[in-house]
Amino acid sequence: MENILAVIAEYNPFHNGHVYHLNKSKTLTNSNYSIAIISGNFTQRGNTSLVDKWSKAKMALSNGFDLVIELPTIYATSSAENFAYGAIKILNSLNIVDYVSFGSECPDIFLLDKFSSVLSDEPKEYKKLLSIELAKGISYPKAREKALISYLKLSKRTSSIISSPNNILAIEYLKSLRLLKSNMSPIAIKRIESEYNDQNLRGEISSATSIRNAILNGELSNIANAVPDSSFDILKENFDKGHIIPDISYFDNIILYNLRSMEVSDLLNIPDVSEGLEFSIKKAANSCNTVEELINIVSSKRYTRTRIQRILIYVLLGITKKDIALSKRTSPYIRILGFNDKGKTLISKINKSNSKVNIITSVKKFYESNTNRNLKRMMDIDVFATNTYTLGYQKDSWGNLDYTQKLIRTNRKTLILV
């Protein structure tokens, strides 16, 4: 029997911890094929990807994946809920995936599923507790956490599980599987050694945060032990080209320009902006010189740093509340970034299993044949996101890469553009 494994990730960048996760997942599921669905040039926590999406696809293919699919920008930059729902919705539509694997601090899938069942069913008592917590003026994630703790009568040790970023995503994946009534089986792999937000390099297994920080500080050589050789080579190539974008600060001027050009009423159309937050953002934008200054001014107990950063990414890319609503009701396309010989077989399996699925290998051909306005809007956002991202390059800030960049294909560990 040929099992097919899928992994949802950002790979920002692909490091040794990711190698461990993939290999462990393959072993546990006895999978013959592996699919990665990855965020593109911007990330779920409101930041930039260190390198472009094709470079990330190269890393994934060079380290054991057979097929790499892009998670559309509208999902990749969303809250954990919509990020997870978009990724699971895409994988479920392939109709060939047996297992979905994700990393988390808690490997107990049954405990995580207990949390997801409450969030998907939303019992009256839980909703009442959530309302009480929100009335205290705290952020929605913190209010949800406290409501879950109260509803499930969790111990202090168990309650800490639902405050971890990776566990939160894991719970959302499980919730999405429930909502979609998916037959895909979830697998949780425990993170080893480094914590998600660890700022310092810890040898062979270091967090993506510490690796990005080292590169931001010009210490590229220091990460050699923390990433596979292929990842290091790809990162170095981008570093030498001036194509590394460590964080959102590379777009300070564009974001502040957009904010100063917008009316307060325009800000109300931006996702996650509510309850007067539009006034605080507008006021800060008129007095700040950097995005970091603005975030420090606006973020609070109610409005987390991540939420503010995500709002600024929406402002940068022109994403509106209408777009988020569109993403929730749309069956997204399958945008292929790269594949190997086994990945080519997977594409054939997908076509046979679901003839209605919209597989994209050419953006130009997509625009020529597509008649769905929702899918067009999603692709417009993807294309604009790439065009915006390259403006952060130190040189060669070319536009329209979604049209000109060829698919990444590997053959016997050799990268080929097709």
Side-chain angles (χ1 to χ4, degrees), residues 235-252:
L235 289 169
K236 187 177 187 306
E237 179 184 1
N238 279 279
F239 188 87
D240 292 341
K241 286 181 178 178
H243 290 184
I244 292 281
I245 305 183
D247 62 41
I248 196 176
S249 67
Y250 278 50
F251 299 97
D252 276 358

Side-chain angles (χ1 to χ4, degrees), residues 212-253:
R212 291 194 299 272
N213 284 345
I215 293 175
L216 179 62
N217 295 328
E219 301 167 352
L220 181 65
S221 60
N222 291 351
I223 71 166
N225 291 333
V227 300
D229 291 343
S230 56
S231 289
F232 184 81
D233 291 342
I234 292 167
L235 289 169
K236 187 177 187 306
E237 179 184 1
N238 279 279
F239 188 87
D240 292 341
K241 286 181 178 178
H243 290 184
I244 292 281
I245 305 183
D247 62 41
I248 196 176
S249 67
Y250 278 50
F251 299 97
D252 276 358
N253 289 341

